[in-house]
Amino acid sequence: MTGRPVELVVEGLRYEVDGRTLLDGIGLTARPGETVGVVGPNGSGKTTLLRCVYGTLRPAAGRVLIDGADASALGVKERARRVAVVPQDAAGTFGLTVREVVSMGRSPHKRFWEQDGPDDRLRVARALETVGVSALAGRRFDGLSGGERQRALVARALVQEPGLLALDEPTNHLDIRYQLEVLGLVRRLPVTGLLVLHDLNLAASFCDRLYVLSGGRVVARGRPEQVLTEELLAEVYGVSARVAVHPETGAPNIVYLPERSAGVTPAAGPAA
Ligand code: ADP
C-alpha cells in the first residue's frame, strides 16, 4: 500500500514569519523505515516543522533532503509521491464524499484530468477498509465525527503510497482503540514515519526515536528512554512526573504528579 521507505534529513532549518523566528537550527534524521516522534509543548513549532517537511511552508534557511535530494527542487507531484501528510484539519474537502476525499490521495499518481482507474478504485477501497471507514464511503466528509475524519485522512495518505508518512497529532480525535490502530499501522507499513504526538506515553511506545522541540529548537533527541526523563519533563513542560520502565514493553512509562506540578516552571520560553 505504500512506496519504498525513504530517508529524511532536515538540516539547519529556520522558519520565520512577520519577523518572528518559529524554528531555528532544526536538525532531524529519520532513517528508512524508522518511526520518529516530534514532541514538545504547545507552540513549540511541531506543526510548522511538519509543514516545512511537507513543503507547504518554505524555510528561510536550511534544507529538507529526501533520499539525499533537496525536497524544494522536487515538483509538487514528485514530492507528494514521496511524502504524505495527515494534517490536523483538512482544507479543500467541503461538500466531498469520504471516497472522493480519499481518492484525492491518488492525484500524484495521475495526470491532472485523469479519472480514477480500476487500480485507483481498488486502492481507495482497500485504504477505506484498513482504517475502518468503508461503510462511510458515500457520506459527506464534513458530516463525519472528528475521529472518522481523521481515519479518512489517514486513508487518503495511504493511497498516496508515500515513502514518508507524516502525521500531525493523529490521535487527537480518536478513541484509544483507534489511537493504537493508527499508530500500529504506521509501524507495520513499509514507510518512514514522522509523528507529532502530544501523548508522551504513546510516543514512547510507538517511536524508535524522539525529538523534543521547545521554543522552536530541538532541546533533546534520542531513544525514548534517553529523552523522557523527569528532568526534561520539568524543564520543557513544567510538570512533575515519575518515569518508570514499563514492565512488559520496556518503554518509559510516565505517571504525572499534578499536585506537585504547580510549582514547576518550564525553563525554555517561546522562540523570539
Ligand atoms: P505546535 O505545533 O508545537 O503547537 P506551531 O508550529 O503550530 O506549534 O506554532 C509555533 C508557533 O508559531 C506558535 O507560537 C504559533 O502561534 C506561531 N505561528 C504558527 N503559524 C504562524 C503564522 N502563520 N503566523 C504567525 N505565527 C504563527
Side-chain angles (χ1 to χ4, degrees):
M1 188 173 280
T2 65
R4 183 182 50 79
V6 296
E7 180 195 56
L8 169 71
V9 175
V10 174
E11 284 177 350
L13 199 76
R14 189 168 78 237
Y15 180 76
E16 295 167 355
V17 64
D18 301 334
R20 235 187 113 198
T21 303
L22 302 187
L23 295 174
D24 201 10
I26 301 283
L28 180 149
T29 306
R31 292 184 286 273
E34 212 181 6
T35 303
V36 168
V38 179
V39 299
N42 288 335
S44 57
K46 305 181 295 297
T47 295
T48 306
L49 172 58
L50 228 57
R51 288 183 178 150
C52 289
V53 168
Y54 189 59
T56 44
L57 294 179
R58 186 177 283 273
R63 296 194 302 172
V64 174
L65 301 167
I66 296 169
D67 278 345
D70 194 327
S72 65
L74 299 174
V76 174
K77 280 193 171 196
E78 219 179 332
R79 193 162 176 154
R81 281 197 293 266
R82 289 174 173 78
V83 183
V85 71
V86 178
Q88 286 193 42
D89 45 30
T93 53
F94 184 76
L96 299 180
T97 66
V98 174
R99 187 182 287 107
E100 286 166 340
V101 168
V102 175
S103 150
M104 287 163 73
R106 292 302 298 156
S107 57
H109 299 277
K110 296 186 299 187
R111 289 170 199 277
F112 178 62
W113 62 87
E114 207 179 324
Q115 300 288 317
D116 275 2
D119 180 58
D120 299 306
R121 286 196 288 272
L122 185 66
R123 286 171 195 275
V124 168
R126 275 201 208 130
L128 287 165
E129 201 179 313
T130 301
V131 300
V133 293
S134 298
L136 308 174
R139 292 250 308 265
R140 268 180 69 142
F141 177 80
D142 44 34
L144 301 185
S145 76
E148 291 163 345
R149 271 207 302 274
Q150 193 88 317
R151 279 147 60 205
L153 293 176
V154 171
R156 182 177 72 173
L158 294 181
V159 300
Q160 237 172 289
E161 297 177 70
L164 174 74
L165 186 53
L167 298 103
D168 194 354
E169 281 300 333
T171 58
N172 236 357
H173 301 283
L174 301 180
D175 64 41
I176 187 66
R177 177 176 155 225
Y178 281 114
Q179 289 186 18
L180 299 178
E181 277 195 11
V182 165
L183 295 177
L185 187 66
V186 177
R187 285 208 63 106
R188 281 198 312 278
L189 290 170
V191 75
T192 308
L194 186 64
L195 306 178
V196 168
L197 288 171
H198 269 310
D199 185 321
L200 299 178
N201 282 319
L202 283 179
S205 299
F206 284 93
C207 297
D208 299 306
R209 286 186 306 116
L210 299 178
Y211 285 79
V212 184
L213 294 193
S214 181
R217 292 172 179 274
V218 175
V219 293
R221 73 187 76 193
R223 292 196 308 277
E225 66 273 22
Q226 296 172 314
V227 166
L228 297 176
T229 61
E230 292 169 9
E231 295 73 28
L232 179 120
L233 294 168
E235 272 174 33
V236 173
Y237 287 92
V239 298
S240 180
R242 290 286 162 267
V243 182
V245 177
H246 194 285
E248 282 188 31
T249 64
N253 190 238
I254 303 165
V255 178
Y256 298 101
L257 302 169
E259 68 287 357
R260 294 204 207 156
S261 296
V264 183
T265 313

